[in-house]
Amino acid sequence: MDADQPERTPDGRYIVVKGRRWRATDPEIPEDVAAGLRRHLMAARRAVAASHRNHDPAAERLARSRVHTAKVALGERGTPWWEQPLAERRRRWEDGAAELDAARKPGQRTARPADG
């Protein structure tokens, strides 16, 4: 097992973190798409935290909705990816990515890792 990667269950469907199982990301998602979805997820999680600091329930609802959309697109929520045919899985991540990309405010950038 790679030291940077969490432990996985033998069937590969879950990761194990501090003894707790969490549904793994769909392994069929192309890495560039998965990376974009993870960027959206982390930005949405930061927006949830900011909405708490600002006591803004409307912003929190919007941010939590974005978290949910990203998690579903990654296959970590909703119908388990291993129960879906590949075409349905592809539609799930493509639709989720399109929705998250469209929801960005004009001129807003999703943080990207530094090149190097």
Side-chain angles (χ1 to χ4, degrees), residues 14-113:
Y14 299 91
I15 61 170
V16 181
V17 179
K18 297 182 181 177
R20 185 167 180 185
R21 284 186 335 162
W22 300 90
R23 194 182 307 170
T25 296
D26 183 341
E28 290 295 324
I29 301 174
E31 183 50 39
D32 61 322
V33 176
L37 290 168
R38 286 189 298 268
R39 283 191 296 272
H40 279 295
L41 175 61
M42 298 315 293
R45 286 178 169 167
R46 287 189 299 274
V48 168
S51 70
H52 279 273
R53 285 190 304 275
N54 296 327
H55 307 287
D56 186 343
E60 181 181 355
R61 280 190 299 278
L62 178 61
R64 287 190 183 281
S65 175
R66 289 174 40 220
V67 167
H68 181 73
T69 299
K71 297 286 278 180
V72 169
L74 286 163
E76 297 174 10
R77 287 188 185 161
T79 303
W81 48 261
W82 56 89
E83 294 178 3
Q84 296 177 308
L86 184 56
E88 190 175 332
R89 292 162 71 179
R90 178 177 302 281
R91 221 175 7 263
R92 184 198 67 237
W93 76 65
E94 287 175 348
D95 290 352
E99 181 179 338
L100 290 163
D101 287 343
R104 276 197 311 227
K105 296 175 185 159
Q108 176 185 359
R109 289 186 39 203
T110 301
R112 296 189 180 267

